[in-house]
CSV table of all heavy atoms in Angstrom, one decimal:
chain,number,residue,atom,x,y,z
A,1,ARG,N,-4.0,-1.2,15.2
A,1,ARG,CA,-4.0,-0.5,16.5
A,1,ARG,C,-2.6,-0.6,17.2
A,1,ARG,O,-2.5,-1.1,18.3
A,1,ARG,CB,-5.1,-1.1,17.4
A,1,ARG,CG,-6.5,-0.9,16.9
A,1,ARG,CD,-7.5,-1.5,17.8
A,1,ARG,NE,-8.8,-1.2,17.2
A,1,ARG,CZ,-9.9,-1.4,17.8
A,1,ARG,NH1,-9.9,-1.8,19.0
A,1,ARG,NH2,-11.0,-1.1,17.2
A,2,LEU,N,-1.6,-0.2,16.5
A,2,LEU,CA,-0.3,-0.1,17.0
A,2,LEU,C,0.1,1.3,17.4
A,2,LEU,O,-0.4,2.2,16.9
A,2,LEU,CB,0.7,-0.6,15.8
A,2,LEU,CG,0.4,-1.9,15.2
A,2,LEU,CD1,1.4,-2.1,14.0
A,2,LEU,CD2,0.6,-3.0,16.2
A,3,LEU,N,1.0,1.3,18.4
A,3,LEU,CA,1.6,2.6,18.8
A,3,LEU,C,3.1,2.6,18.5
A,3,LEU,O,3.8,1.6,18.8
A,3,LEU,CB,1.4,2.7,20.4
A,3,LEU,CG,0.0,2.9,20.9
A,3,LEU,CD1,0.0,2.9,22.4
A,3,LEU,CD2,-0.6,4.1,20.4
A,4,GLU,N,3.6,3.7,18.0
A,4,GLU,CA,5.0,3.8,17.7
A,4,GLU,C,5.8,3.7,19.0
A,4,GLU,O,5.5,4.5,19.9
A,4,GLU,CB,5.3,5.0,16.9
A,4,GLU,CG,6.7,5.0,16.2
A,4,GLU,CD,6.8,6.0,15.1
A,4,GLU,OE1,5.9,6.8,14.9
A,4,GLU,OE2,7.9,6.0,14.5
A,5,ASP,N,6.7,2.8,19.0
A,5,ASP,CA,7.4,2.5,20.3
A,5,ASP,C,8.8,1.9,19.9
A,5,ASP,O,8.8,0.8,19.4
A,5,ASP,CB,6.6,1.6,21.2
A,5,ASP,CG,7.2,1.3,22.5
A,5,ASP,OD1,8.4,1.7,22.7
A,5,ASP,OD2,6.5,0.8,23.4
A,6,ALA,N,9.9,2.5,20.3
A,6,ALA,CA,11.2,2.0,20.0
A,6,ALA,C,11.5,0.6,20.7
A,6,ALA,O,12.3,-0.1,20.2
A,6,ALA,CB,12.3,3.0,20.4
A,7,ASP,N,10.7,0.3,21.7
A,7,ASP,CA,10.9,-1.0,22.3
A,7,ASP,C,9.8,-2.0,21.9
A,7,ASP,O,9.6,-3.0,22.5
A,7,ASP,CB,10.8,-0.9,23.9
A,7,ASP,CG,12.0,-0.1,24.4
A,7,ASP,OD1,13.1,-0.3,23.9
A,7,ASP,OD2,11.8,0.7,25.4
A,8,GLY,N,9.1,-1.6,20.8
A,8,GLY,CA,8.0,-2.5,20.3
A,8,GLY,C,8.4,-3.8,19.7
A,8,GLY,O,9.6,-4.0,19.4
A,9,GLU,N,7.5,-4.6,19.5
A,9,GLU,CA,7.7,-6.0,18.9
A,9,GLU,C,7.3,-6.1,17.5
A,9,GLU,O,7.4,-7.2,16.9
A,9,GLU,CB,7.1,-7.0,19.8
A,9,GLU,CG,5.5,-7.0,19.7
A,9,GLU,CD,4.8,-5.9,20.4
A,9,GLU,OE1,5.4,-5.3,21.3
A,9,GLU,OE2,3.7,-5.6,20.1
A,10,THR,N,6.7,-5.1,16.9
A,10,THR,CA,6.3,-5.1,15.5
A,10,THR,C,7.1,-4.2,14.7
A,10,THR,O,7.2,-3.0,15.0
A,10,THR,CB,4.8,-4.7,15.5
A,10,THR,OG1,4.0,-5.6,16.3
A,10,THR,CG2,4.2,-4.8,14.1
A,11,LEU,N,7.6,-4.7,13.6
A,11,LEU,CA,8.4,-3.8,12.7
A,11,LEU,C,7.6,-3.7,11.4
A,11,LEU,O,7.1,-4.6,10.8
A,11,LEU,CB,9.7,-4.5,12.3
A,11,LEU,CG,10.7,-4.5,13.4
A,11,LEU,CD1,11.3,-5.9,13.6
A,11,LEU,CD2,11.8,-3.5,13.0
A,12,LEU,N,7.3,-2.4,11.0
A,12,LEU,CA,6.7,-2.1,9.8
A,12,LEU,C,7.7,-1.6,8.8
A,12,LEU,O,8.5,-0.7,9.2
A,12,LEU,CB,5.6,-1.1,10.0
A,12,LEU,CG,4.4,-1.5,10.9
A,12,LEU,CD1,3.3,-0.4,10.9
A,12,LEU,CD2,3.8,-2.8,10.5
A,13,VAL,N,7.7,-2.1,7.6
A,13,VAL,CA,8.7,-1.6,6.6
A,13,VAL,C,7.8,-1.0,5.5
A,13,VAL,O,7.0,-1.6,4.9
A,13,VAL,CB,9.4,-2.8,6.0
A,13,VAL,CG1,10.4,-2.3,4.9
A,13,VAL,CG2,10.2,-3.6,7.0
A,14,GLN,N,8.1,0.3,5.3
A,14,GLN,CA,7.3,1.1,4.3
A,14,GLN,C,8.0,1.0,3.0
A,14,GLN,O,9.0,1.6,2.8
A,14,GLN,CB,7.1,2.5,4.7
A,14,GLN,CG,6.2,3.3,3.8
A,14,GLN,CD,5.6,4.5,4.4
A,14,GLN,OE1,5.2,4.5,5.5
A,14,GLN,NE2,5.5,5.6,3.6
A,15,LEU,N,7.5,0.1,2.2
A,15,LEU,CA,8.0,-0.2,0.9
A,15,LEU,C,7.0,-0.7,0.0
A,15,LEU,O,6.3,-1.7,0.3
A,15,LEU,CB,9.2,-1.2,1.0
A,15,LEU,CG,10.0,-1.5,-0.2
A,15,LEU,CD1,10.8,-0.2,-0.6
A,15,LEU,CD2,11.0,-2.6,0.1
A,16,ASP,N,6.7,-0.1,-1.2
A,16,ASP,CA,5.7,-0.6,-2.1
A,16,ASP,C,6.3,-1.6,-3.0
A,16,ASP,O,7.1,-1.3,-3.9
A,16,ASP,CB,5.2,0.6,-2.9
A,16,ASP,CG,4.0,0.3,-3.7
A,16,ASP,OD1,3.4,-0.8,-3.5
A,16,ASP,OD2,3.6,1.1,-4.5
A,17,THR,N,6.0,-2.9,-2.7
A,17,THR,CA,6.6,-4.0,-3.5
A,17,THR,C,5.6,-5.1,-3.6
A,17,THR,O,4.8,-5.3,-2.8
A,17,THR,CB,7.9,-4.5,-2.8
A,17,THR,OG1,8.5,-5.5,-3.6
A,17,THR,CG2,7.7,-5.0,-1.4
A,18,THR,N,5.8,-5.9,-4.7
A,18,THR,CA,5.0,-7.1,-4.9
A,18,THR,C,5.8,-8.3,-4.4
A,18,THR,O,5.3,-9.4,-4.6
A,18,THR,CB,4.7,-7.3,-6.4
A,18,THR,OG1,5.9,-7.4,-7.1
A,18,THR,CG2,3.8,-6.1,-6.9
A,19,ALA,N,6.9,-8.1,-3.7
A,19,ALA,CA,7.8,-9.2,-3.3
A,19,ALA,C,8.1,-9.0,-1.8
A,19,ALA,O,9.2,-8.9,-1.4
A,19,ALA,CB,9.0,-9.2,-4.1
A,20,PRO,N,7.1,-9.1,-0.9
A,20,PRO,CA,7.3,-8.8,0.5
A,20,PRO,C,8.1,-9.9,1.2
A,20,PRO,O,8.8,-9.6,2.2
A,20,PRO,CB,5.9,-8.7,1.1
A,20,PRO,CG,5.0,-9.6,0.2
A,20,PRO,CD,5.6,-9.4,-1.2
A,21,SER,N,8.1,-11.2,0.8
A,21,SER,CA,8.8,-12.2,1.5
A,21,SER,C,10.3,-12.0,1.5
A,21,SER,O,11.0,-12.3,2.5
A,21,SER,CB,8.4,-13.6,1.1
A,21,SER,OG,8.9,-13.8,-0.2
A,22,ALA,N,10.9,-11.5,0.4
A,22,ALA,CA,12.3,-11.2,0.4
A,22,ALA,C,12.7,-10.1,1.4
A,22,ALA,O,13.6,-10.2,2.1
A,22,ALA,CB,12.7,-10.8,-1.0
A,23,ILE,N,11.8,-9.1,1.4
A,23,ILE,CA,12.0,-8.0,2.4
A,23,ILE,C,11.9,-8.5,3.8
A,23,ILE,O,12.6,-8.1,4.7
A,23,ILE,CB,11.0,-6.8,2.1
A,23,ILE,CG1,11.2,-6.3,0.6
A,23,ILE,CG2,11.2,-5.7,3.1
A,23,ILE,CD1,12.6,-5.9,0.3
A,24,GLN,N,10.9,-9.3,4.1
A,24,GLN,CA,10.7,-9.8,5.4
A,24,GLN,C,11.9,-10.6,5.9
A,24,GLN,O,12.3,-10.5,7.0
A,24,GLN,CB,9.4,-10.7,5.5
A,24,GLN,CG,8.1,-9.9,5.4
A,24,GLN,CD,6.9,-10.7,5.1
A,24,GLN,OE1,7.0,-11.9,4.6
A,24,GLN,NE2,5.8,-10.2,5.4
């Protein structure tokens, strides 16, 4: 239940990977 907002506090990275902690 997120709204796209340039001042938001949540960053979503669209990347299909099995290694999310390196990306985080």
Side-chain angles (χ1 to χ4, degrees):
R1 297 181 181 190
L2 302 174
L3 294 175
E4 196 162 2
D5 184 350
D7 293 325
E9 70 285 341
T10 301
L11 287 133
L12 298 184
V13 181
Q14 186 158 320
L15 187 65
D16 192 10
T17 181
T18 60
S21 67
I23 302 303
Q24 289 168 340

